Amino acid sequence: QVQLVESGGGLVQAGGSLRLSCAASGSMVSMYAMGWYRQAPGKQRELVAIMTSGGSTNYADSVKGRFTISRDNAKNTVYLQMNSLKPEDTAVYYCKRERSGVLKTPDYWGQGTQVTVSS
């Protein structure tokens, strides 16, 4: 069974940093595109960053230069390093295994972790 468990969220001051982790079980993160998404209160869930199985990355314009997605295949874990945090980064952050057209598998979501950035 595929399971994605996020951790590392918390309360930080503006300008601070956090590193989120997404520990996967029942799935190899190296075989799939993995993404980080976030959802603020009253807003739609939005893409933050994606890493393909080949290691290519893409970021939302709002986080470029501040956030970095990475993975450790040995630990089967995906990370989101968040620097220079702003109050508008406050949201629940979700890890996602993207659907695969090759392996014909659906999306899988973690349960999310809260990030709160104070002024």
Side-chain angles (χ1 to χ4, degrees):
Q1 293 73 35
V2 177
Q3 187 174 29
L4 304 174
V5 180
E6 301 96 333
S7 62
L11 174 63
V12 298
Q13 292 185 316
S17 297
L18 284 174
R19 188 176 77 158
L20 306 183
S21 298
C22 173
S25 61
S27 178
M28 299 298 296
V29 300
S30 62
M31 295 182 180
Y32 297 88
M34 301 293 297
W36 285 98
Y37 295 72
R38 67 187 181 187
Q39 188 166 25
K43 296 184 178 180
Q44 295 274 86
R45 190 171 298 186
E46 64 176 349
L47 172 69
V48 176
I50 281 183
M51 174 174 281
T52 70
S53 60
S56 298
T57 59
N58 292 98
Y59 299 90
D61 288 340
S62 60
V63 307
K64 285 181 179 177
R66 299 189 297 121
F67 291 11
T68 303
I69 186 171
S70 62
R71 70 184 181 214
D72 186 331
N73 292 336
K75 294 183 177 181
N76 206 32
T77 298
V78 178
Y79 303 96
L80 184 68
Q81 178 67 46
M82 305 186 294
N83 298 326
S84 302
L85 283 162
K86 305 174 181 179
E88 50 262 45
D89 295 319
T90 295
V92 177
Y93 284 72
Y94 298 89
C95 178
K96 179 189 178 186
R97 192 189 82 178
E98 305 287 347
R99 64 178 67 89
S100 172
V102 175
L103 301 177
K104 303 186 186 304
T105 54
D107 296 329
Y108 282 93
W109 292 88
Q111 295 301 304
T113 185
Q114 176 71 48
V115 172
T116 303
V117 184
S118 63
S119 300

